[in-house]
Amino acid sequence: MTAAADDLIRIRREIHAFAELPFLEIRTAALVVRELRGLPCSIRLGRDAMRPDVVEGYPDAAARAAAAERAIAAGADPGLAQAFAEHGTAVIADIEGSRPGPTWAIRFDMDALPIEESSEPDHLPARLGFRSTTGAMHACGHDGHVAIGLALARRLADRDFAGRVRLLFQPAEESVRGAAAMISAGAADGVDRFLAIHLGNTLPSGTMVGSAVGLQATTKFAAVFRGVAAHAAGAPQHGRNAIAAAAVATTGILALPRSSDGVTNVNVGTISGGSATNIIPDRAALTGEVRSDAEAVCAQLYDGVTRVVAAAAAMHDVGHELRATARSTTIASDDELVDQVLACAERRFGSERLRRTAVLSASDDASLWAAEVQRAGGLATYVLVGSGNPAPHHNPRFDIDESSMSVGLSWLEDIVREAR
Amino acid sequence: MTAAADDLIRIRREIHAFAELPFLEIRTAALVVRELRGLPCSIRLGRDAMRPDVVEGYPDAAARAAAAERAIAAGADPGLAQAFAEHGTAVIADIEGSRPGPTWAIRFDMDALPIEESSEPDHLPARLGFRSTTGAMHACGHDGHVAIGLALARRLADRDFAGRVRLLFQPAEESVRGAAAMISAGAADGVDRFLAIHLGNTLPSGTMVGSAVGLQATTKFAAVFRGVAAHAAGAPQHGRNAIAAAAVATTGILALPRSSDGVTNVNVGTISGGSATNIIPDRAALTGEVRSDAEAVCAQLYDGVTRVVAAAAAMHDVGHELRATARSTTIASDDELVDQVLACAERRFGSERLRRTAVLSASDDASLWAAEVQRAGGLATYVLVGSGNPAPHHNPRFDIDESSMSVGLSWLEDIVREAR
Amino acid sequence: MTAAADDLIRIRREIHAFAELPFLEIRTAALVVRELRGLPCSIRLGRDAMRPDVVEGYPDAAARAAAAERAIAAGADPGLAQAFAEHGTAVIADIEGSRPGPTWAIRFDMDALPIEESSEPDHLPARLGFRSTTGAMHACGHDGHVAIGLALARRLADRDFAGRVRLLFQPAEESVRGAAAMISAGAADGVDRFLAIHLGNTLPSGTMVGSAVGLQATTKFAAVFRGVAAHAAGAPQHGRNAIAAAAVATTGILALPRSSDGVTNVNVGTISGGSATNIIPDRAALTGEVRSDAEAVCAQLYDGVTRVVAAAAAMHDVGHELRATARSTTIASDDELVDQVLACAERRFGSERLRRTAVLSASDDASLWAAEVQRAGGLATYVLVGSGNPAPHHNPRFDIDESSMSVGLSWLEDIVREAR
Amino acid sequence: MTAAADDLIRIRREIHAFAELPFLEIRTAALVVRELRGLPCSIRLGRDAMRPDVVEGYPDAAARAAAAERAIAAGADPGLAQAFAEHGTAVIADIEGSRPGPTWAIRFDMDALPIEESSEPDHLPARLGFRSTTGAMHACGHDGHVAIGLALARRLADRDFAGRVRLLFQPAEESVRGAAAMISAGAADGVDRFLAIHLGNTLPSGTMVGSAVGLQATTKFAAVFRGVAAHAAGAPQHGRNAIAAAAVATTGILALPRSSDGVTNVNVGTISGGSATNIIPDRAALTGEVRSDAEAVCAQLYDGVTRVVAAAAAMHDVGHELRATARSTTIASDDELVDQVLACAERRFGSERLRRTAVLSASDDASLWAAEVQRAGGLATYVLVGSGNPAPHHNPRFDIDESSMSVGLSWLEDIVREAR
């Protein structure tokens, strides 16, 4: 194993062991800065890298302070941790090539999921001792993405390429809120070529896909129902039952009609409500999402959520609020760029492991980066590197084949170096 | 206003302002001990007064420690507060009369509800500055009960009565768990006459009722649904949706059939579940209760809950657990004792404000005290004192007419003094 | 057994064997007229006895013609059967007493239920061969009521009583629509005393109750949902699903809140909808009812139905209509009349089998007769005669102890004869 | 317009005006026989053409007799109509070519849908006076298919082709039950090449598609819930509510999880239950279907239906039965045959209007014919001819561009004539 591969693995495992939730990637961002130090890149942090104020449901100060405390206890630089807690966890690193050329932006997402990682002995991170101990888990490969991004920065430190490379270390991809926050801070300005990379997708390890297709537009939402409390036996008729409304809304959302125009994914991801067994519950809340590979179907599904939530509230005579907390869209990769990245891959790896497209049944706010860059006349694509996952994404036993990180690293390096 | 009445009001307001949730009545219990000090009574605390280990859902050590800390900050004796946090908040005070006679037990409940108290200016506690600031609220009159119990201890300090009086300062009536915990510690042993007193019930202030009827048997329950998490778009078919099961169970419980044999109150009081919008939720939980004025109907309703919860889990292919977390029963007051308490009331107050019975559409684990005493050959009744409530019990604007406390106090005093 | 008792049983069994649904009691009404013929009474039929045009959901001409055909085939007078089919099945018989006195009206209901009668050998009508063969069933004792009414006409044929007796042979009690239709035709005009009689109510046979209490106000309703059909696979997103709305409405109605002010019975009695498995259903309908022993609670329940039906339609974006198809109210019997009927019963039967009141957990449009008579200054009560039922009302194995009919007959006769 | 085109239109309109439901296509089948008379083909009818005994939910004798009566009144040959009513409506016509060659089978479906056809003046059949007056409607183009089949028989009457052509006039495609009934009678025996043709699918008129893809496997089902009737106010606790179970099952089926492995269409197409507003309903039934373009997903969905129906019954303590009433599968067209039919089309029409594949979001028991023929070593495909539909299939305003029938006719003729 090469030293570079060693490095990839070491960094990935360090990140993996301390998985952090969206917008709380404080130790991870501090690690990114630590690894970038000494490299010939200009770094933007905090308000220069993202705008927390445009984010729905941004963690409150107490949650951020607690995350900073945990990050510091786990070795993060205290000053950096405080700054990330205060101003946001995004990190942008620009490396200037030695020759004129296009501005590349490559996105590496940093956040983990609220999943308790498997501790079964045949789960490699558990067996080798880098299982996450934070309660969150990198069950989507973002740990590998960050490792690739940092290794790429080291590789490109020779500046032997045309143009400029912007490495986007993005928070909160899972909740599709980080990209918009960074774009709002100008992070996509002046970008000519946008790439997102993702490990996994149940492809054989090392498979290289030039363009993920079928990426799903999504709207995340939060609904609150406000009723009236009453003694559950003394005066149930005076209560207005917020949990009953939330239950009806949940079933209604799950039963939204299918469409022949696209997939129709729906989820109620969280629910909460009520205060005691003997009180008619006066408050309930739920969060969820809709998705489709067709933007119009996604919009219809959200119309459906709007209708269902209002009707469930009306049925139980309670008030309600519904907010769209995050949105993402579909991606239409640019053929020109897809051709280019596939040519790079073929030159180094041959054609056997290449695929032009593969369906990615997921959402990703890389779509917002792509749309922003394309709107300004640039090109974009979203590449995949197979990683032989033993379990599906978002599963407590998800893992990546760590050797796939080298494939991704070399591919990105080649793309940048070969561009004119 | 007499000094005694002044005292009642002072104590009641002090308790009201610092309302505490079930089994966390630490400052309240410390106040009880403070007020009993110096009186000729023997006091039992902690393990001698209750057994926490028989309680389902007893607050964990962290919650109890936090409550103790708050109580101490609010003036509670630190040593007592620690002891209550460690061993339970029940307080039993026995006063020996100067003559032989029966052993009386009178129950005063201490706990408050998880209701945010109204801060509207026409709500008296808000206007006069003793609104609760703890997030919990005495919205059921227990603050008045404790004040009466303490005033009664002072009155009976002359020991000019026959027999013995046991004052039971009980935690956790609202969740019908405190009585069983105290009975398990032997608190009902040797009792010949049991009385429970309640202020309110929307009766005109000062009305005296010899026997509350229609008190409802109840079973509180907690259900947990365990599914399988999955990526909500990538592999929804691999998820097993615990929130969906909880929603179906909620609607099913609310729709349990009515009965011509008794009332059929049902409630799902709390719900929670899930972890993120984009993950099929793998866990959900709910708590609730069933009640009826007929014990058999209550049992049928709980059978229904059992069936509904199992079916909802089966429908969504998730695991489930259902536990009965607390139970209470109906009361059949003893006519002999009801006659006696009504005779006392008539002697002092005349017959105008008296009622033999009034329906109390509620549950109360006073029923467990009554059943225990009756099983051992004793007598029991549950008396009411109207308190002119401006809003129903368990409502953020509930309040009592403080002058009704004097009525209750004198009534109880007379009952004890006149007994042979 | 007396000849009178023989007659009661013969007539009851003849009616029982040919049970007829509401407003289709053609053979029954023809039998009533047949039995009244030759008696000194004036008979009103058809439009003089009821107004079909005020009835919601009155059977259509085809259904009435088919019922007439069946009735004629079963021996009904063809001319009468045609007339009943055309103008309604109510029959009113007035008998003038020989002395001046009050006008009595006594209601006998004629309709049966859409229940397939038990054919088990221990079900008496099956064993003795008078089980209904029409698909409908007298599972509520109306067959016995009509038999009593006809026997009373024969008894009073001597006109040896004061005042006037009006025998009201009423259709459609079960759907609480017949009384209103007859009252609209003036059938309650001039009545001073109103009596309804009911056999059964699970009382011991021969028990006499002066006043049924707890009779429930009710509103029957019919809801229709109108959606849009679509190919269930080709374009489900273009459908608007009426069955989905009806299902949500059903669950919502069954889950309407309980009340501490009275019982809260709810039912969705019928449902229908859709046309084929592969078409998103564009139409669904349901019928149901709400009931309470408190008129205000009944009104609140129907408000709830209104809200639930509208919300269910809104949730699935379908149109809807909701109609109250029938209403009935509570009864407040007049003490004076209750005293009188109990005195009559005591004189003949002694006091042992008497009860002043018994709870009747049911609805009956006798309440509309009572309210109408009371509004005009008259008196009313609803008496019960126990009939030792082996199975509950509305059960396929319901039956009456036929000897209880004689008790009812004598009681009514005495009431009329003893009145001044 | 040619005489042939005139004939196509005349026949299509005659069929359209008298649309008939599955297995009741009596007038349509009689018309088919009428038109085939005199042509050099051997005809199989009744038991030689289909086996009614293998059909779930086959119309009962009364329904078939009524349909025959209507067909005769509308001009059908009485003897034929009786025979179709008795033995089934399938018609098979074999035409022998003058040279040896393969045996072709071409399927033409005859049934219509339970949809009331639009009477709006801009709906062509309404304006030109051939709107269906039967209550059913040809809203899927089968009228055009039968017209093409009959015209093809006339064209091929010269026997100037190699092999043999079997024209399959199939009942009950919409409920995917007719193909299995015909296959059971041996109708697929000896077939070497199978073709199904469908007009429409919202393709531009005249577009020719060599292979419909995405055809959905489906399972149709029927569920019955059996509870216990009870008086809705007198003893609701003794009832077991079958409609409640059906409502819960409906919502549960509509909320079955989506899949990333294929589309997940679900429908509850019909519902019925109960007998009266005041009786807890003791019976309810529903029918529905699941579909997917992946056979495994379809099977998972039906597993889900099984689970949901059982759980809904368990929740309401009622019995249940669930039957799969019909099944259909996916189609994998044979490339060799697709090449051949596209080559034919190109020769006559050029390549502009050709497509190799088009997605057909529907199910069709043509898949069972195809599977049967392929299993025996034959080849199959399912071709489409665009027909410029103004409204989607299964919509009251569906219509076909009648000129597209000529395209389909010529295409089929060429395929047969050019085959070796």
Side-chain angles (χ1 to χ4, degrees):
Chain A
M1 193 176 280
T2 66
D6 276 357
D7 254 17
L8 278 166
I9 290 172
R10 178 181 56 78
I11 295 286
R12 180 256 166 168
R13 293 186 181 177
E14 181 176 351
I15 296 168
H16 188 93
F18 203 84
E20 294 171 306
L21 292 175
F23 292 123
L24 301 174
E25 312 89 339
I26 292 176
R27 189 184 183 286
T28 308
L31 179 152
V32 165
V33 173
R34 180 190 82 195
E35 295 292 317
L36 292 174
R37 282 225 173 102
L39 299 181
C41 59
S42 69
I43 296 180
R44 275 181 277 168
L45 305 179
R47 302 202 170 186
D48 297 327
M50 66 173 278
R51 283 188 47 194
D53 57 305
V54 305
V55 177
E56 281 274 358
Y58 194 68
D60 62 23
R64 278 144 42 211
E69 204 173 309
R70 284 193 304 270
I72 293 166
D77 177 284
L80 273 174
Q82 304 287 10
F84 287 133
E86 209 163 325
H87 303 300
T89 52
V91 179
I92 303 174
D94 280 17
I95 309 178
E96 292 288 331
S98 56
R99 302 182 296 282
T103 296
W104 291 87
I106 314 180
R107 198 280 311 265
F108 307 96
D109 36 13
M110 302 189 293
D111 56 318
L113 288 152
I115 293 176
E116 182 75 19
E117 184 163 8
S118 171
S119 57
E120 295 171 79
D122 60 345
H123 178 59
L124 198 94
R127 189 162 73 246
L128 299 190
F130 63 97
R131 174 179 174 272
S132 173
T133 56
T134 61
M137 175 186 174
H138 275 291
C140 200
H142 298 189
D143 47 351
H145 302 168
V146 176
I148 292 173
L150 292 171
L152 183 63
R154 282 191 299 277
R155 291 270 180 98
L156 298 178
D158 61 10
R159 302 183 47 201
D160 184 14
F161 62 93
R164 175 192 294 114
V165 171
R166 180 172 299 165
L167 307 174
L168 302 164
F169 295 95
Q170 178 197 309
E173 183 279 326
E174 291 296 349
S175 54
V176 296
R177 293 176 296 167
M182 293 183 74
I183 293 169
S184 292
D189 295 356
V191 173
D192 302 304
R193 304 282 181 273
F194 174 77
L195 295 176
I197 184 168
H198 212 297
L199 298 171
N201 199 32
T202 67
L203 294 162
S205 188
T207 305
M208 282 170 282
V209 178
S211 169
V213 295
L215 211 77
Q216 296 178 17
T218 185
T219 300
K220 317 293 186 194
F221 57 84
V224 177
F225 299 93
R226 297 185 203 283
V228 174
H231 190 294
Q237 71 274 29
H238 295 146
R240 288 190 279 152
N241 194 323
I243 286 181
V248 168
T250 296
T251 318
I253 289 167
L254 296 180
L256 282 172
R258 274 71 174 173
S259 172
S260 60
D261 293 333
V263 304
T264 58
N265 285 313
V266 294
N267 194 35
V268 172
T270 68
I271 195 167
S272 63
S275 54
T277 57
N278 61 340
I279 303 178
I280 301 293
D282 67 348
R283 191 182 172 287
L286 54 83
T287 68
E289 60 168 37
V290 293
R291 305 203 208 198
S292 178
D293 53 355
E295 182 70 51
V297 173
C298 185
Q300 285 157 16
L301 286 170
Y302 189 63
D303 284 351
V305 169
T306 307
R307 207 174 54 237
V308 166
V309 166
M315 178 174 290
H316 290 280
D317 207 10
V318 303
H320 78 283
E321 290 160 38
L322 175 69
R323 287 173 308 119
T325 53
R327 287 177 195 276
S328 181
T329 185
T330 53
I331 291 190
S333 293
D334 293 287
D335 278 342
E336 179 187 341
L337 185 57
V338 176
D339 291 344
Q340 193 175 333
V341 302
L342 286 171
C344 282
E346 192 169 7
R347 272 190 285 279
R348 184 190 290 260
F349 297 100
S351 63
E352 206 156 303
R353 308 194 309 200
L354 299 197
R355 294 194 198 172
R356 186 168 184 91
T357 63
V359 172
L360 181 56
S361 291
S363 300
D364 191 321
D365 57 7
S367 59
L368 301 179
W369 291 109
E372 183 71 11
V373 168
Q374 289 171 327
R375 203 172 37 180
L379 306 177
T381 193
Y382 187 118
V383 303
L384 301 173
V385 176
S387 195
N389 322 110
H393 288 251
H394 295 202
N395 182 294
R397 297 169 50 76
F398 177 85
D399 196 13
I400 57 172
D401 171 6
E402 291 176 327
S403 74
S404 65
M405 293 189 287
S406 300
V407 175
L409 171 61
S410 298
W411 192 11
L412 293 177
E413 182 185 359
D414 290 354
I415 291 168
V416 171
R417 293 210 194 270
E418 295 182 16
R420 303 287 147 239
Chain B
M1 194 176 279
T2 65
D6 276 356
D7 254 19
L8 279 167
I9 291 172
R10 178 182 55 78
I11 297 286
R12 180 257 167 167
R13 292 186 182 178
E14 182 177 350
I15 296 168
H16 188 93
F18 202 85
E20 293 171 306
L21 291 175
F23 292 122
L24 301 174
E25 310 90 339
I26 292 176
R27 191 185 181 284
T28 307
L31 179 153
V32 165
V33 172
R34 181 189 83 195
E35 295 292 318
L36 291 175
R37 282 224 173 101
L39 298 181
C41 59
S42 69
I43 296 179
R44 276 182 276 169
L45 306 179
R47 301 200 171 190
D48 297 326
M50 67 173 277
R51 283 188 46 194
D53 56 305
V54 305
V55 178
E56 282 273 358
Y58 193 69
D60 62 23
R64 278 144 44 210
E69 204 174 308
R70 285 193 304 271
I72 293 166
D77 178 282
L80 274 175
Q82 304 287 11
F84 286 133
E86 210 164 323
H87 302 301
T89 52
V91 179
I92 302 174
D94 279 17
I95 309 178
E96 293 287 333
S98 55
R99 303 182 296 280
T103 296
W104 292 87
I106 313 181
R107 197 280 311 265
F108 307 96
D109 37 12
M110 302 189 292
D111 57 317
L113 289 153
I115 293 176
E116 181 76 19
E117 184 163 8
S118 171
S119 57
E120 294 171 80
D122 60 345
H123 178 60
L124 199 95
R127 189 163 73 246
L128 299 191
F130 63 97
R131 173 178 174 273
S132 172
T133 56
T134 61
M137 176 188 173
H138 275 292
C140 201
H142 299 189
D143 47 349
H145 301 169
V146 176
I148 291 173
L150 292 171
L152 183 63
R154 282 191 301 276
R155 291 270 180 100
L156 297 178
D158 60 11
R159 302 183 47 202
D160 184 15
F161 61 93
R164 175 191 292 113
V165 171
R166 181 172 298 165
L167 305 174
L168 302 163
F169 295 95
Q170 178 197 308
E173 182 280 325
E174 291 295 349
S175 55
V176 296
R177 292 176 296 166
M182 292 183 73
I183 292 169
S184 293
D189 295 356
V191 173
D192 302 304
R193 305 280 181 273
F194 174 76
L195 295 176
I197 184 167
H198 212 297
L199 298 171
N201 199 33
T202 68
L203 294 162
S205 188
T207 304
M208 283 170 283
V209 177
S211 170
V213 295
L215 211 77
Q216 296 177 18
T218 186
T219 300
K220 317 292 185 194
F221 57 84
V224 176
F225 300 92
R226 296 183 204 286
V228 174
H231 189 294
Q237 71 275 28
H238 295 147
R240 289 191 278 153
N241 193 322
I243 287 181
V248 168
T250 296
T251 318
I253 288 167
L254 297 180
L256 282 171
R258 275 71 173 172
S259 174
S260 60
D261 294 332
V263 303
T264 58
N265 284 313
V266 294
N267 194 35
V268 172
T270 69
I271 195 167
S272 63
S275 55
T277 57
N278 61 341
I279 302 178
I280 302 293
D282 66 348
R283 191 182 173 286
L286 54 82
T287 68
E289 60 168 38
V290 294
R291 304 204 208 198
S292 178
D293 52 355
E295 182 70 51
V297 173
C298 185
Q300 285 158 16
L301 287 170
Y302 190 64
D303 285 350
V305 169
T306 306
R307 206 173 56 238
V308 165
V309 166
M315 179 175 289
H316 290 281
D317 207 10
V318 303
H320 78 283
E321 289 161 39
L322 175 69
R323 287 175 305 118
T325 53
R327 287 178 195 275
S328 181
T329 185
T330 53
I331 291 190
S333 294
D334 293 287
D335 278 341
E336 179 186 340
L337 185 57
V338 176
D339 291 344
Q340 193 175 332
V341 303
L342 286 171
C344 281
E346 193 169 6
R347 272 191 284 278
R348 184 189 290 261
F349 298 100
S351 63
E352 205 155 304
R353 308 194 308 198
L354 299 198
R355 292 194 200 172
R356 186 168 185 91
T357 62
V359 172
L360 180 57
S361 291
S363 300
D364 192 322
D365 56 7
S367 59
L368 300 179
W369 290 109
E372 183 72 11
V373 168
Q374 290 171 328
R375 203 173 37 179
L379 306 177
T381 193
Y382 187 118
V383 304
L384 301 172
V385 176
S387 195
N389 321 110
H393 288 251
H394 295 201
N395 183 293
R397 297 168 50 76
F398 177 85
D399 197 13
I400 57 171
D401 172 6
E402 291 175 329
S403 74
S404 65
M405 292 190 287
S406 299
V407 175
L409 171 61
S410 298
W411 192 12
L412 293 177
E413 183 186 357
D414 290 353
I415 291 168
V416 171
R417 293 212 194 268
E418 295 182 15
R420 305 284 148 240
Chain C
M1 193 176 277
T2 65
D6 275 358
D7 253 19
L8 278 166
I9 290 172
R10 178 181 56 78
I11 295 286
R12 179 256 167 165
R13 293 184 182 179
E14 182 176 349
I15 296 168
H16 188 94
F18 202 85
E20 294 171 306
L21 291 175
F23 292 123
L24 301 174
E25 311 90 340
I26 292 176
R27 191 185 182 284
T28 307
L31 179 153
V32 165
V33 173
R34 181 190 83 195
E35 295 291 319
L36 291 175
R37 283 227 171 100
L39 298 181
C41 60
S42 70
I43 296 180
R44 275 181 277 169
L45 305 179
R47 302 200 170 188
D48 297 327
M50 67 172 277
R51 284 188 47 192
D53 57 305
V54 305
V55 177
E56 281 275 358
Y58 194 69
D60 63 21
R64 279 144 42 210
E69 204 173 308
R70 285 193 303 271
I72 293 166
D77 177 283
L80 274 174
Q82 305 287 10
F84 287 132
E86 208 163 324
H87 301 300
T89 53
V91 179
I92 302 174
D94 279 16
I95 310 178
E96 292 287 332
S98 55
R99 302 183 296 281
T103 295
W104 291 87
I106 314 180
R107 197 282 309 266
F108 307 96
D109 36 12
M110 302 189 292
D111 56 317
L113 289 153
I115 293 176
E116 181 77 19
E117 184 163 8
S118 171
S119 57
E120 296 171 79
D122 60 344
H123 179 59
L124 199 96
R127 190 162 71 246
L128 299 190
F130 64 96
R131 173 179 175 271
S132 172
T133 56
T134 61
M137 175 187 174
H138 275 292
C140 201
H142 299 190
D143 46 351
H145 303 169
V146 176
I148 291 172
L150 293 171
L152 183 63
R154 282 191 300 278
R155 292 271 179 98
L156 297 178
D158 60 12
R159 301 183 47 201
D160 183 15
F161 60 94
R164 175 192 292 113
V165 170
R166 179 171 299 165
L167 306 174
L168 302 164
F169 295 95
Q170 177 197 308
E173 183 280 326
E174 291 296 349
S175 55
V176 296
R177 292 177 297 166
M182 293 183 72
I183 292 169
S184 292
D189 295 356
V191 173
D192 301 303
R193 304 282 181 273
F194 174 76
L195 295 176
I197 184 167
H198 212 298
L199 298 171
N201 198 32
T202 67
L203 295 162
S205 187
T207 304
M208 283 169 283
V209 177
S211 170
V213 295
L215 211 77
Q216 295 178 18
T218 186
T219 300
K220 317 294 186 193
F221 57 83
V224 176
F225 300 92
R226 297 184 203 285
V228 174
H231 190 293
Q237 71 274 29
H238 295 146
R240 289 191 278 153
N241 193 322
I243 286 181
V248 168
T250 296
T251 317
I253 289 167
L254 296 180
L256 282 172
R258 274 72 174 172
S259 174
S260 59
D261 293 332
V263 303
T264 58
N265 285 313
V266 294
N267 194 35
V268 171
T270 69
I271 194 166
S272 62
S275 55
T277 57
N278 62 340
I279 302 178
I280 302 292
D282 67 347
R283 191 183 173 285
L286 54 82
T287 68
E289 60 169 37
V290 293
R291 305 203 206 198
S292 178
D293 52 356
E295 183 69 51
V297 173
C298 184
Q300 285 158 15
L301 288 170
Y302 189 63
D303 284 351
V305 169
T306 307
R307 206 174 55 237
V308 166
V309 167
M315 178 174 289
H316 290 280
D317 206 11
V318 303
H320 78 283
E321 290 160 38
L322 174 69
R323 288 174 306 118
T325 53
R327 286 178 196 275
S328 181
T329 185
T330 53
I331 290 190
S333 292
D334 293 288
D335 278 341
E336 178 187 341
L337 185 57
V338 176
D339 292 342
Q340 193 176 334
V341 302
L342 286 171
C344 282
E346 192 170 6
R347 272 191 284 278
R348 183 188 292 259
F349 297 100
S351 64
E352 205 155 305
R353 308 193 311 199
L354 298 198
R355 293 194 199 172
R356 185 167 185 91
T357 63
V359 172
L360 181 55
S361 290
S363 300
D364 192 322
D365 57 7
S367 59
L368 301 179
W369 290 109
E372 183 71 11
V373 167
Q374 290 172 327
R375 203 171 39 175
L379 307 177
T381 194
Y382 187 118
V383 303
L384 301 173
V385 176
S387 196
N389 322 109
H393 288 251
H394 295 201
N395 182 294
R397 296 168 51 77
F398 177 85
D399 196 12
I400 56 171
D401 172 6
E402 290 175 328
S403 74
S404 65
M405 292 189 287
S406 299
V407 175
L409 171 61
S410 298
W411 192 12
L412 292 177
E413 183 185 358
D414 291 353
I415 292 168
V416 172
R417 293 214 195 267
E418 294 182 16
R420 304 287 147 236
Chain D
M1 193 175 279
T2 65
D6 275 357
D7 254 18
L8 278 166
I9 290 172
R10 178 183 55 79
I11 296 286
R12 180 256 166 167
R13 293 185 181 179
E14 182 177 349
I15 296 169
H16 188 93
F18 202 85
E20 294 171 306
L21 292 175
F23 292 122
L24 301 174
E25 311 90 339
I26 292 176
R27 190 184 182 286
T28 308
L31 179 151
V32 166
V33 173
R34 182 190 82 195
E35 294 292 318
L36 292 174
R37 281 222 175 102
L39 298 181
C41 58
S42 70
I43 296 180
R44 275 181 277 169
L45 306 178
R47 304 200 168 188
D48 297 327
M50 67 173 277
R51 284 189 46 194
D53 56 305
V54 306
V55 177
E56 281 275 359
Y58 193 69
D60 63 22
R64 280 144 43 210
E69 203 174 309
R70 284 193 303 271
I72 293 166
D77 177 284
L80 273 175
Q82 304 288 10
F84 287 133
E86 208 163 325
H87 301 301
T89 53
V91 179
I92 302 174
D94 279 18
I95 309 178
E96 292 288 331
S98 56
R99 303 183 295 282
T103 296
W104 291 87
I106 313 180
R107 197 280 310 266
F108 306 96
D109 36 12
M110 303 188 292
D111 56 317
L113 288 153
I115 293 175
E116 182 76 19
E117 184 164 8
S118 171
S119 56
E120 295 171 79
D122 60 344
H123 179 59
L124 199 95
R127 188 163 74 245
L128 299 190
F130 64 96
R131 173 180 175 271
S132 173
T133 57
T134 61
M137 175 186 174
H138 275 292
C140 200
H142 299 189
D143 48 350
H145 303 168
V146 176
I148 291 172
L150 292 171
L152 183 63
R154 282 191 300 277
R155 292 271 179 98
L156 298 178
D158 61 10
R159 303 182 46 202
D160 184 15
F161 61 93
R164 173 192 293 113
V165 171
R166 179 172 299 165
L167 306 174
L168 302 163
F169 295 94
Q170 178 197 308
E173 182 280 325
E174 291 295 350
S175 55
V176 294
R177 292 176 296 166
M182 292 183 73
I183 292 169
S184 292
D189 295 356
V191 173
D192 301 303
R193 304 281 181 272
F194 174 76
L195 295 176
I197 184 169
H198 212 297
L199 297 171
N201 197 34
T202 67
L203 294 161
S205 188
T207 304
M208 282 170 283
V209 176
S211 169
V213 296
L215 212 77
Q216 296 178 17
T218 186
T219 300
K220 316 294 186 193
F221 57 84
V224 176
F225 300 92
R226 297 184 203 285
V228 174
H231 190 294
Q237 72 273 29
H238 296 146
R240 288 191 280 154
N241 194 322
I243 286 180
V248 168
T250 296
T251 318
I253 288 168
L254 296 180
L256 281 172
R258 273 72 174 172
S259 172
S260 60
D261 293 333
V263 304
T264 58
N265 285 314
V266 294
N267 194 36
V268 172
T270 70
I271 195 166
S272 64
S275 54
T277 57
N278 60 341
I279 302 178
I280 301 292
D282 67 347
R283 192 183 172 286
L286 53 82
T287 68
E289 61 168 38
V290 293
R291 305 204 207 197
S292 178
D293 52 355
E295 182 70 51
V297 173
C298 185
Q300 285 157 16
L301 288 171
Y302 189 64
D303 284 350
V305 169
T306 306
R307 206 173 55 237
V308 165
V309 167
M315 178 175 289
H316 291 281
D317 206 11
V318 303
H320 78 282
E321 290 160 38
L322 174 69
R323 287 175 306 118
T325 53
R327 287 177 195 275
S328 180
T329 185
T330 53
I331 291 189
S333 294
D334 294 286
D335 277 341
E336 179 187 341
L337 186 57
V338 177
D339 291 343
Q340 193 175 332
V341 303
L342 287 171
C344 282
E346 191 168 7
R347 272 192 284 279
R348 183 189 290 261
F349 297 100
S351 63
E352 205 156 304
R353 309 194 308 201
L354 298 198
R355 294 194 199 171
R356 185 167 186 92
T357 63
V359 172
L360 180 55
S361 291
S363 300
D364 191 322
D365 57 7
S367 59
L368 300 179
W369 291 109
E372 183 73 11
V373 168
Q374 289 172 326
R375 202 171 37 178
L379 305 178
T381 194
Y382 188 118
V383 303
L384 301 173
V385 176
S387 195
N389 321 110
H393 289 252
H394 296 201
N395 182 293
R397 296 168 52 76
F398 177 85
D399 196 13
I400 57 171
D401 172 6
E402 290 176 329
S403 75
S404 65
M405 293 189 288
S406 300
V407 175
L409 171 60
S410 299
W411 192 10
L412 292 176
E413 183 185 358
D414 289 354
I415 292 168
V416 171
R417 294 213 194 267
E418 295 182 15
R420 305 284 148 238

